[in-house]
Amino acid sequence: MTKIIHGIPFFIFLLFIACNNDIFIDNESPSDKELIIPVTGEASFMFQTDNLKSIQIIFHEQKFDCTTYIPTGDKLMEYQNRGSLIIYDKSSSMPHIERTSAENPNVAFDIIRHPKNKLTISFKRNILGRHFNGMIKLEYTYKEENVKFVIESSEKEIPIFKIVGIHYTDNKIDYRFNSKIEFPMTINNTGSETMTQSFCPENQCRMTVHLQLPEINTPQIESYNGMIALPTYNPETRKPEFMGEKLQFKIGNQNLPPLDAALTDGQSFHTEYPVEIPPQSSVRGVLNRYDIFISAWGNLTARNMRNENDVITIPFLIKIVQPVSYNFHWENISLDE
């Protein structure tokens, strides 16, 4: 008998020890990762309760007044203007919350936690004119699970939002520099008399501005004729700053005249560079550009034109290419180039 015990392979012995010490972890995911709650309907999902630490409701873009209830139906707590709410916390003495009611003037719904491992979201109201998005966050000892939920709108018309504010995110400006060589003009003089030409770098050194919104989940926005501030290059600090430059708000690309304020040593992007080309000869212009590439992030504040209580934020990104220095000269080349 002793020989048989000593003959047990080592890995089987380790397996036996692991089983006795609960090494194996149930890593089951929620039965659904996204719930669609129809008008006057509900949706549910099952979730793992082993090693569960907390359950949190997260409300996107809206604030809610919340009320929690215990299984007897009695009210437990009331909360005002919340962007999220924890309905289960293993580390606290919180009693079992069976139902949580979340309401604001536009959206209302219930979250029901069943005795075991089931959670139900029940529709009560959505007059936003658009779907409302939220999330259930399940935190475990060794992982985190997120279940998105969408409460469908009872309004059939698509809402239109009006921009009421533009704000840049503090300290959210990136920049880098780049240089390049261009040959914007070649002049061939095949005649018998000297030619005179001139080049101005203004058109070749224009600023480009690109404003973009998220490709998905961006609502319809009313045309906006307001202005947006632009970060531009400060030659004293050698970095982008808000120096008073503004541009009419427009999604997409815009081209602007270059800013002489970015230059030093009395340079100007409007300088003319003349050249004389003798008969049977050729010249070309050589332009060395030094640009700054600026990326700045911010948020639009927009109000639903059909429901003034519905105010949302929409992130935006603005990209700017601004020439900050240049050098131009003419060079002779062979006539056949």
Side-chain angles (χ1 to χ4, degrees):
M1 185 66 174
T2 302
K3 293 182 180 179
I4 295 176
I5 293 176
H6 285 283
I8 295 176
F10 185 66
F11 75 90
I12 295 179
F13 176 76
L14 287 179
L15 184 61
F16 176 79
I17 293 298
C19 292
N20 282 341
N21 286 278
D22 297 323
I23 297 300
F24 295 116
I25 297 173
D26 182 6
N27 197 27
E28 182 180 355
S29 295
S31 58
D32 286 286
K33 286 300 184 74
E34 182 170 348
L35 302 179
I36 307 297
I37 295 88
V39 177
T40 71
E42 63 181 31
S44 303
F45 71 94
M46 310 293 288
F47 61 96
Q48 172 190 327
T49 56
D50 291 343
N51 299 298
L52 179 65
K53 293 174 62 179
S54 66
I55 302 175
Q56 183 180 22
I57 312 164
I58 299 174
F59 312 116
H60 296 322
E61 299 177 351
Q62 297 273 318
K63 300 290 186 179
F64 285 82
D65 294 338
C66 300
T67 305
T68 56
Y69 300 86
I70 58 178
T72 60
D74 294 325
K75 185 185 299 184
L76 177 64
M77 292 289 291
E78 291 184 339
Y79 305 88
Q80 305 296 317
N81 199 34
R82 298 298 297 266
S84 64
L85 184 69
I86 293 177
I87 61 173
Y88 170 72
D89 186 353
K90 184 179 179 180
S91 64
S92 73
S93 58
M94 179 186 296
H96 177 80
I97 296 174
E98 182 178 72
R99 180 168 67 93
T100 302
S101 176
E103 296 195 22
N104 67 26
N106 303 306
V107 182
F109 58 97
D110 284 342
I111 301 100
I112 302 167
R113 186 184 173 200
H114 301 275
K116 294 186 178 180
N117 59 342
K118 181 180 178 182
L119 210 65
T120 297
I121 301 176
S122 179
F123 180 97
K124 293 173 69 175
R125 178 176 66 250
N126 183 359
I127 58 173
L128 279 175
R130 60 187 175 88
H131 298 337
F132 169 76
N133 299 299
M135 186 171 71
I136 304 293
K137 179 181 176 182
L138 305 168
E139 185 178 357
Y140 294 86
T141 304
Y142 54 89
K143 68 172 182 176
E144 181 181 298
E145 298 280 6
N146 295 317
V147 178
K148 299 178 182 179
F149 64 88
V150 178
I151 298 178
E152 293 188 333
S153 172
S154 57
E155 303 287 325
K156 294 184 178 179
E157 293 185 33
I158 298 176
I160 299 176
F161 284 82
K162 179 180 181 179
I163 296 174
V164 295
I166 302 174
H167 308 280
Y168 281 94
T169 305
D170 293 341
N171 301 319
K172 192 65 174 177
I173 299 179
D174 291 341
Y175 64 96
R176 63 182 177 86
F177 295 95
N178 184 64
S179 61
K180 65 178 180 179
I181 300 176
E182 298 177 341
F183 305 98
M185 182 180 290
T186 298
I187 306 170
N188 295 316
N189 185 2
T190 57
S192 57
E193 297 182 0
T194 297
M195 295 175 55
T196 301
Q197 276 286 358
S198 182
F199 174 77
C200 177
E202 175 186 0
N203 290 331
Q204 201 71 23
C205 294
R206 293 179 69 83
M207 288 177 58
T208 61
V209 178
H210 178 77
L211 175 65
Q212 65 185 58
L213 303 182
E215 295 182 359
I216 59 175
N217 297 328
T218 299
Q220 186 173 340
I221 299 175
E222 182 192 38
S223 297
Y224 179 67
N225 295 320
M227 307 294 285
I228 182 171
L230 296 180
T232 54
Y233 179 72
N234 184 342
E236 295 183 1
T237 60
R238 293 187 56 82
K239 64 181 182 179
E241 298 177 2
F242 290 98
M243 302 175 64
E245 294 297 328
K246 293 185 177 181
L247 176 68
Q248 184 170 344
F249 181 91
K250 178 185 176 183
I251 299 171
N253 291 322
Q254 295 190 67
N255 290 318
L256 304 175
L259 300 176
D260 281 352
L263 301 173
T264 57
D265 302 327
Q267 274 190 312
S268 171
F269 289 108
H270 307 282
T271 302
E272 294 286 343
Y273 294 86
V275 65
E276 292 186 348
I277 307 100
Q280 301 300 313
S281 65
S282 181
V283 298
R284 70 177 178 184
V286 181
L287 177 67
N288 291 276
R289 278 181 51 176
Y290 192 55
D291 298 336
I292 185 172
F293 289 71
I294 305 170
S295 296
W297 288 261
N299 290 292
L300 307 177
T301 303
R303 177 175 283 112
N304 189 336
M305 297 180 65
R306 297 176 54 239
N307 184 343
E308 65 177 12
N309 293 319
D310 183 18
V311 179
I312 63 173
T313 57
I314 305 170
F316 72 83
L317 168 62
I318 194 164
K319 296 181 178 181
I320 301 168
V321 180
Q322 179 189 1
V324 298
S325 179
Y326 79 91
N327 176 274
F328 180 82
H329 67 276
W330 294 100
E331 67 179 12
N332 296 316
I333 58 175
S334 60
L335 188 58
D336 58 352
E337 283 191 35

